[in-house]
mmCIF file of all heavy atoms in Angstrom:
data_model
loop_
_atom_site.group_PDB
_atom_site.id
_atom_site.type_symbol
_atom_site.label_atom_id
_atom_site.label_comp_id
_atom_site.label_asym_id
_atom_site.label_seq_id
_atom_site.Cartn_x
_atom_site.Cartn_y
_atom_site.Cartn_z
ATOM 1 N N GLY A 10 -11.957 23.649 1.003
ATOM 2 C CA GLY A 10 -13.179 24.491 1.043
ATOM 3 C C GLY A 10 -13.167 25.465 2.206
ATOM 4 O O GLY A 10 -12.072 25.726 2.784
ATOM 5 N N GLY A 11 -14.292 26.002 2.509
ATOM 6 C CA GLY A 11 -14.351 26.921 3.657
ATOM 7 C C GLY A 11 -13.987 26.218 4.982
ATOM 8 O O GLY A 11 -14.350 25.070 5.199
ATOM 9 N N ASP A 12 -13.092 26.880 5.749
ATOM 10 C CA ASP A 12 -12.681 26.159 6.993
ATOM 11 C C ASP A 12 -13.891 26.050 7.978
ATOM 12 O O ASP A 12 -14.845 26.770 7.830
ATOM 13 C CB ASP A 12 -11.484 26.894 7.638
ATOM 14 C CG ASP A 12 -11.736 28.363 7.969
ATOM 15 O OD1 ASP A 12 -12.786 28.861 7.613
ATOM 16 O OD2 ASP A 12 -10.919 28.936 8.696
ATOM 17 N N ARG A 72 -10.112 26.831 -2.042
ATOM 18 C CA ARG A 72 -11.156 26.355 -2.969
ATOM 19 C C ARG A 72 -10.424 26.172 -4.325
ATOM 20 O O ARG A 72 -10.134 27.227 -4.959
ATOM 21 C CB ARG A 72 -12.275 27.333 -3.090
ATOM 22 C CG ARG A 72 -13.019 27.577 -1.793
ATOM 23 C CD ARG A 72 -14.223 28.444 -2.020
ATOM 24 N NE ARG A 72 -14.764 28.906 -0.763
ATOM 25 C CZ ARG A 72 -15.512 28.247 0.046
ATOM 26 N NH1 ARG A 72 -15.962 27.062 -0.272
ATOM 27 N NH2 ARG A 72 -16.010 28.782 1.191
ATOM 28 N N THR A 125 -18.158 21.499 7.463
ATOM 29 C CA THR A 125 -18.576 22.818 6.914
ATOM 30 C C THR A 125 -19.594 23.444 7.811
ATOM 31 O O THR A 125 -20.525 22.805 8.332
ATOM 32 C CB THR A 125 -19.207 22.642 5.502
ATOM 33 O OG1 THR A 125 -20.026 23.794 5.221
ATOM 34 C CG2 THR A 125 -20.080 21.397 5.401
ATOM 35 N N ILE A 126 -19.432 24.756 8.064
ATOM 36 C CA ILE A 126 -20.413 25.410 8.981
ATOM 37 C C ILE A 126 -21.802 25.475 8.303
ATOM 38 O O ILE A 126 -22.787 25.724 8.992
ATOM 39 C CB ILE A 126 -19.955 26.805 9.395
ATOM 40 C CG1 ILE A 126 -19.871 27.766 8.274
ATOM 41 C CG2 ILE A 126 -18.612 26.701 10.122
ATOM 42 C CD1 ILE A 126 -20.075 29.226 8.742
ATOM 43 N N ASP A 127 -21.847 25.361 6.978
ATOM 44 C CA ASP A 127 -23.171 25.423 6.309
ATOM 45 C C ASP A 127 -24.049 24.208 6.565
ATOM 46 O O ASP A 127 -25.258 24.225 6.386
ATOM 47 C CB ASP A 127 -22.960 25.566 4.808
ATOM 48 C CG ASP A 127 -22.532 26.939 4.398
ATOM 49 O OD1 ASP A 127 -22.291 27.773 5.282
ATOM 50 O OD2 ASP A 127 -22.389 27.140 3.144
ATOM 51 N N MET A 169 -24.287 32.780 7.732
ATOM 52 C CA MET A 169 -23.842 32.090 6.492
ATOM 53 C C MET A 169 -24.768 31.036 6.079
ATOM 54 O O MET A 169 -25.630 30.570 6.837
ATOM 55 C CB MET A 169 -22.418 31.602 6.681
ATOM 56 C CG MET A 169 -21.391 32.721 6.510
ATOM 57 S SD MET A 169 -19.718 32.067 6.487
ATOM 58 C CE MET A 169 -18.816 33.463 5.921
ATOM 59 N N GLY A 170 -24.620 30.595 4.829
ATOM 60 C CA GLY A 170 -25.443 29.534 4.274
ATOM 61 C C GLY A 170 -25.963 29.943 2.931
ATOM 62 O O GLY A 170 -26.882 30.712 2.884
ATOM 63 N N ARG A 171 -25.259 29.557 1.876
ATOM 64 C CA ARG A 171 -25.632 29.982 0.519
ATOM 65 C C ARG A 171 -26.838 29.228 0.011
ATOM 66 O O ARG A 171 -27.821 29.866 -0.412
ATOM 67 C CB ARG A 171 -24.513 29.726 -0.462
ATOM 68 C CG ARG A 171 -23.498 30.845 -0.467
ATOM 69 C CD ARG A 171 -22.295 30.473 -1.253
ATOM 70 N NE ARG A 171 -21.653 29.289 -0.693
ATOM 71 C CZ ARG A 171 -20.471 28.826 -0.997
ATOM 72 N NH1 ARG A 171 -19.816 29.351 -1.986
ATOM 73 N NH2 ARG A 171 -19.975 27.751 -0.451
ATOM 74 N N GLU A 222 -27.585 33.911 4.137
ATOM 75 C CA GLU A 222 -27.035 34.802 3.111
ATOM 76 C C GLU A 222 -27.576 34.447 1.733
ATOM 77 O O GLU A 222 -27.736 35.382 0.854
ATOM 78 C CB GLU A 222 -25.496 34.728 3.096
ATOM 79 C CG GLU A 222 -24.964 33.368 2.740
ATOM 80 C CD GLU A 222 -23.423 33.312 2.746
ATOM 81 O OE1 GLU A 222 -22.798 34.301 2.397
ATOM 82 O OE2 GLU A 222 -22.853 32.235 3.056
ATOM 83 N N TYR A 249 -17.505 36.230 8.750
ATOM 84 C CA TYR A 249 -16.482 35.197 9.068
ATOM 85 C C TYR A 249 -16.284 34.892 10.525
ATOM 86 O O TYR A 249 -15.533 33.991 10.869
ATOM 87 C CB TYR A 249 -15.159 35.616 8.394
ATOM 88 C CG TYR A 249 -15.227 35.607 6.929
ATOM 89 C CD1 TYR A 249 -15.434 36.738 6.176
ATOM 90 C CD2 TYR A 249 -15.090 34.400 6.261
ATOM 91 C CE1 TYR A 249 -15.568 36.692 4.764
ATOM 92 C CE2 TYR A 249 -15.238 34.320 4.812
ATOM 93 C CZ TYR A 249 -15.484 35.467 4.146
ATOM 94 O OH TYR A 249 -15.605 35.438 2.821
ATOM 95 N N ARG A 252 -16.941 31.455 11.172
ATOM 96 C CA ARG A 252 -16.072 30.333 10.674
ATOM 97 C C ARG A 252 -14.887 30.043 11.654
ATOM 98 O O ARG A 252 -14.193 29.060 11.499
ATOM 99 C CB ARG A 252 -15.520 30.752 9.300
ATOM 100 C CG ARG A 252 -16.545 30.672 8.170
ATOM 101 C CD ARG A 252 -16.219 29.561 7.196
ATOM 102 N NE ARG A 252 -15.031 29.852 6.503
ATOM 103 C CZ ARG A 252 -15.034 30.319 5.234
ATOM 104 N NH1 ARG A 252 -16.166 30.511 4.571
ATOM 105 N NH2 ARG A 252 -13.886 30.604 4.598
HETATM 106 O O1 F6P B 401 -18.048 27.585 4.225
HETATM 107 C C1 F6P B 401 -19.175 27.877 3.541
HETATM 108 C C2 F6P B 401 -19.359 29.374 3.467
HETATM 109 O O2 F6P B 401 -19.202 29.758 4.782
HETATM 110 C C3 F6P B 401 -20.607 29.945 2.876
HETATM 111 O O3 F6P B 401 -21.696 30.008 3.755
HETATM 112 C C4 F6P B 401 -20.132 31.225 2.392
HETATM 113 O O4 F6P B 401 -20.917 31.799 1.374
HETATM 114 C C5 F6P B 401 -18.768 30.947 1.889
HETATM 115 O O5 F6P B 401 -18.318 29.915 2.696
HETATM 116 C C6 F6P B 401 -17.829 32.082 1.889
HETATM 117 O O6 F6P B 401 -16.512 31.543 1.829
HETATM 118 P P1 F6P B 401 -15.253 32.229 1.169
HETATM 119 O O7 F6P B 401 -15.480 33.679 1.198
HETATM 120 O O8 F6P B 401 -14.139 31.830 2.140
HETATM 121 O O9 F6P B 401 -15.059 31.644 -0.144
#
Side-chain angles (χ1 to χ4, degrees):
D12 60 352
R72 296 186 195 279
T125 158
I126 68 155
D127 285 3
M169 278 188 169
R171 276 170 300 189
E222 63 180 329
Y249 293 97
R252 288 248 292 260

